[in-house]
Amino acid sequence: MKRLVAGLFAVVVPAAAGAQGAPDWKAVEAEAIRTIQSYVRINTSNPPGDVTKAADLLVSLLQREGVPVKRYESAPGRSIVLARLKGTGAAKPILLLHHMDVVPTDPSRWQHDPFGAEIADGKIWGRGTMDMKGLGVVQLMAFLSLKRQNVPLERDVIFMAVPDEEVGGELGAQWMRKNHYDELDPEYVLDEGGFGSRDLFAPGKLVFGISVAEKKILWLKLRAEGVAGHGSQPHDRNPNDKMIRALARLLGEPMPTTPFSVLQTKRGAARGEGVPASDEPGGVQGSPPLNMTSRVGPLAQNKFNNAIQHSTISITSFRSGVGEPPKVNVIPSVAEATLDCRVLPGTTKEQWLAEIRRRLGDPEIKIEITYEGEDPVVTTQDSKFYKALESAVKQEHPDAILTPMVVPYGTDSNGFRPLGVKSYGFTPVVVPAAAVGSMHGDAEFLPAEAVGPAIRILFNALKETVTR
Ligand SMILES: [Zn+2]
């Protein structure tokens, strides 16, 4: 019945403005840019992380279009917006997920008002333009376009905006999974993660990376114990010396990679020995080999590409000394350092800890795990939505190279993967490496010209995925 009605619309009102055929993309783009500006102008810095006004804005935009909206509050100021386009239920929903909160700013370091959403040099400037109010609005406009075009839906399309992502997501996406999973129960999640760039992945190639996995987070605390003493008489039990030598050994050889099929990198995989490439973490089944390097070729040398090809260690603190400020002439008895480790799928926690121990080369240094993220689960690329994203990007950018990728950072979508949900991280924009580097920095921007094509890509991919 639903299909028949939709078919009739196609025949009866082909010329009705905006009702069928292609949306008026110019108008949609202008509306999107205005909406991004209004959204960025609402300061949702986290901490404190109050998103009430941002949620008010989204609710009013959705209600204006006649979309039913539910609103939750996981804690004061922690609003969650959930809107749904109802499908026939022939397939499980697709969930468009984004977070409303942003990381704090130091306005004195910004050239543009971080909450001004000023457009200059073709860029929309402000906190959240890239991470991730821009994508939130791209999702919203694609979602509204489905409704405005009366696209027949065989699955629900859910738009969800959450708080709290920038501090871990416990009161946002995680809270919804825990308390209202029946409202979601998606087959697919689309969140931030990958994106397109002409210079970041490989100069001169337009590459779009769709995130299918995240690295495992392991935060470690190292502790060296020694013997206190007078600074005038050095001895061989100074914990600082011990720690410094161990850390030098830790960083003294290149970071390892893993024979992990998203990368298909076997080079330098020594430390991943015993993890065959086919032994995909998370058990991806029936998917063709995922292979970033063979699709893109050699990746450009930069910190982003380094992080997606290697397990990495950042030494983030070093604490030692006696007294505050520490006495210059006292050898302390303890030195501590913290390591932020991000481990590629394919290397287990045990393998990674063994690697750290081997590199430190000092069995007396104690290693404590202070935080451990989920074991990586890799989402298959062999899915209707992934293929639809791929072909929608190709349609918009015929010269694009599409590749699955792992992202170095964490996002809300990862928590859906262990539940068997096919989660993709993808902002379908073309951005310069500088825009990617601007996230969490003091010059965050989104190229204005990227907005229109991104909405078209997402709309076309959704249209393909919600209908037979
Ligand atoms: Zn984000």
Side-chain angles (χ1 to χ4, degrees), residues 124-185:
I124 313 170
W125 295 92
R127 173 63 81 229
T129 48
M130 268 300 284
D131 184 12
M132 69 172 288
K133 289 172 170 170
L135 176 59
V137 172
V138 166
Q139 291 182 347
L140 177 70
M141 295 312 300
F143 177 90
L144 293 179
S145 298
L146 289 173
K147 168 138 176 45
R148 292 172 185 174
Q149 300 298 310
N150 296 309
V151 172
L153 307 175
E154 285 172 3
R155 59 174 92 233
D156 291 4
V157 181
I158 303 170
F159 173 86
M160 182 161 82
V162 296
D164 210 45
E165 194 270 351
E166 296 292 2
V167 294
E170 210 177 310
L171 295 172
Q174 216 173 302
W175 187 88
M176 283 300 288
R177 279 197 298 274
K178 222 170 170 181
N179 296 288
H180 298 283
Y181 197 75
D182 54 327
E183 291 277 355
L184 308 174
D185 195 20

Side-chain angles (χ1 to χ4, degrees), residues 271 348-359:
R271 248 54 69 192
T348 64
K349 175 175 81 177
E350 290 69 29
Q351 284 170 322
W352 182 251
L353 290 175
E355 171 71 6
I356 296 282
R357 250 180 234 113
R358 184 193 66 75
R359 285 174 172 244

Side-chain angles (χ1 to χ4, degrees), residues 300-454:
Q301 302 252 342
N302 55 48
K303 66 177 184 180
F304 186 89
N305 290 337
N306 176 60
I308 64 177
Q309 294 178 93
H310 300 93
S311 295
T312 57
I313 304 166
S314 288
I315 300 174
T316 45
S317 76
F318 190 100
R319 190 180 290 257
S320 179
V322 173
E324 194 52 57
K327 297 284 283 178
V328 178
N329 59 350
V330 177
I331 295 171
S333 57
V334 175
E336 288 181 338
T338 55
L339 310 181
D340 181 354
C341 304
R342 306 293 175 121
V343 184
L344 280 178
T347 298
T348 64
K349 175 175 81 177
E350 290 69 29
Q351 284 170 322
W352 182 251
L353 290 175
E355 171 71 6
I356 296 282
R357 250 180 234 113
R358 184 193 66 75
R359 285 174 172 244
L360 289 171
D362 185 342
E364 287 180 10
I365 290 184
K366 295 193 177 99
I367 305 173
E368 182 196 339
I369 300 173
T370 56
Y371 175 80
E372 179 185 352
E374 304 260 359
D375 284 334
V377 174
V378 180
T379 299
T380 179
Q381 64 170 305
D382 189 15
S383 77
K384 186 167 183 169
F385 187 39
Y386 186 96
K387 287 175 187 157
L389 283 171
E390 234 177 13
S391 63
V393 170
K394 280 277 192 194
Q395 203 178 318
E396 190 71 30
H397 304 282
D399 59 333
I401 299 169
L402 271 294
T403 181
M405 69 186 283
V406 57
V407 287
Y409 32 73
T411 75
D412 274 338
S413 62
N414 203 38
F416 285 91
R417 291 195 173 107
L419 307 173
V421 177
K422 288 166 229 160
S423 279
Y424 300 110
F426 189 49
T427 306
V429 292
V430 180
V431 288
V436 179
S438 77
M439 286 192 271
H440 294 205
D442 48 24
E444 187 174 344
F445 70 90
L446 176 68
E449 63 175 19
V451 174

Side-chain angles (χ1 to χ4, degrees), residues 201-202 205 207-210 212 257-269 277 289-301 305-306 308-310 344 381 386 401-406:
F201 298 105
K205 292 180 185 172
V207 177
F208 282 83
I210 300 177
V212 295
T257 184
T258 308
F260 158 51
S261 65
V262 172
L263 283 166
Q264 204 81 4
T265 308
K266 295 206 169 84
R267 171 173 50 85
L290 310 163
N291 195 334
M292 188 170 193
T293 23
S294 76
R295 284 187 204 188
V296 182
L299 298 183
Q301 302 252 342
N305 290 337
N306 176 60
I308 64 177
Q309 294 178 93
H310 300 93
L344 280 178
Q381 64 170 305
Y386 186 96
I401 299 169
L402 271 294
T403 181
M405 69 186 283
V406 57

Side-chain angles (χ1 to χ4, degrees), residues 11-323:
V11 174
V12 175
V13 285
Q20 269 296 331
D24 177 354
W25 288 120
K26 272 242 150 329
V28 170
E29 182 178 353
E31 184 184 353
I33 289 174
R34 282 197 309 274
T35 308
I36 292 172
Q37 288 183 299
S38 311
Y39 197 5
V40 168
R41 285 174 187 148
I42 301 169
N43 183 343
T44 53
S45 296
N46 195 2
D50 189 319
V51 299
T52 308
K53 290 197 173 116
D56 291 346
L57 172 73
L58 296 174
V59 167
S60 75
L61 293 172
L62 289 157
Q63 283 178 341
R64 195 180 67 191
E65 305 271 336
V67 179
V69 186
K70 283 188 181 173
R71 188 166 174 163
Y72 301 91
E73 232 186 28
S74 57
R78 300 295 185 278
S79 295
I80 294 155
V81 177
L82 187 76
R84 180 186 303 269
L85 299 178
K86 204 86 190 101
T88 61
K92 289 218 296 184
I94 182 160
L95 171 62
L96 306 175
L97 173 63
H98 87 280
H99 63 84
M100 294 177 277
D101 60 327
V102 297
V103 291
T105 50
D106 175 358
S108 70
R109 299 188 57 86
W110 283 67
Q111 285 203 338
H112 302 270
D113 175 0
F115 302 104
E118 202 182 306
I119 298 178
D121 313 319
K123 302 174 174 87
I124 313 170
W125 295 92
R127 173 63 81 229
T129 48
M130 268 300 284
D131 184 12
M132 69 172 288
K133 289 172 170 170
L135 176 59
V137 172
V138 166
Q139 291 182 347
L140 177 70
M141 295 312 300
F143 177 90
L144 293 179
S145 298
L146 289 173
K147 168 138 176 45
R148 292 172 185 174
Q149 300 298 310
N150 296 309
V151 172
L153 307 175
E154 285 172 3
R155 59 174 92 233
D156 291 4
V157 181
I158 303 170
F159 173 86
M160 182 161 82
V162 296
D164 210 45
E165 194 270 351
E166 296 292 2
V167 294
E170 210 177 310
L171 295 172
Q174 216 173 302
W175 187 88
M176 283 300 288
R177 279 197 298 274
K178 222 170 170 181
N179 296 288
H180 298 283
Y181 197 75
D182 54 327
E183 291 277 355
L184 308 174
D185 195 20
E187 176 173 1
Y188 298 110
V189 170
L190 182 71
D191 191 6
E192 63 186 335
F195 47 83
S197 186
R198 290 187 188 276
D199 58 353
L200 182 89
F201 298 105
K205 292 180 185 172
L206 175 59
V207 177
F208 282 83
I210 300 177
S211 162
V212 295
E214 290 175 9
K215 294 166 86 176
K216 181 181 176 75
I217 303 172
L218 266 176
W219 290 346
L220 306 179
K221 187 154 109 183
L222 307 183
R223 183 178 166 94
E225 291 174 5
V227 176
H230 200 290
S232 65
Q233 297 148 61
H235 60 72
D236 60 5
R237 300 285 295 153
N238 182 337
N240 288 338
D241 299 358
K242 221 172 153 52
M243 183 64 90
I244 286 165
R245 291 195 180 108
L247 292 177
R249 288 188 293 266
L250 182 74
L251 301 183
E253 49 187 301
M255 288 299 125
T257 184
T258 308
F260 158 51
S261 65
V262 172
L263 283 166
Q264 204 81 4
T265 308
K266 295 206 169 84
R267 171 173 50 85
R271 248 54 69 192
E273 274 164 16
V275 185
S278 60
D279 183 12
E280 190 68 83
V284 172
Q285 287 147 3
S287 60
L290 310 163
N291 195 334
M292 188 170 193
T293 23
S294 76
R295 284 187 204 188
V296 182
L299 298 183
Q301 302 252 342
N302 55 48
K303 66 177 184 180
F304 186 89
N305 290 337
N306 176 60
I308 64 177
Q309 294 178 93
H310 300 93
S311 295
T312 57
I313 304 166
S314 288
I315 300 174
T316 45
S317 76
F318 190 100
R319 190 180 290 257
S320 179
V322 173

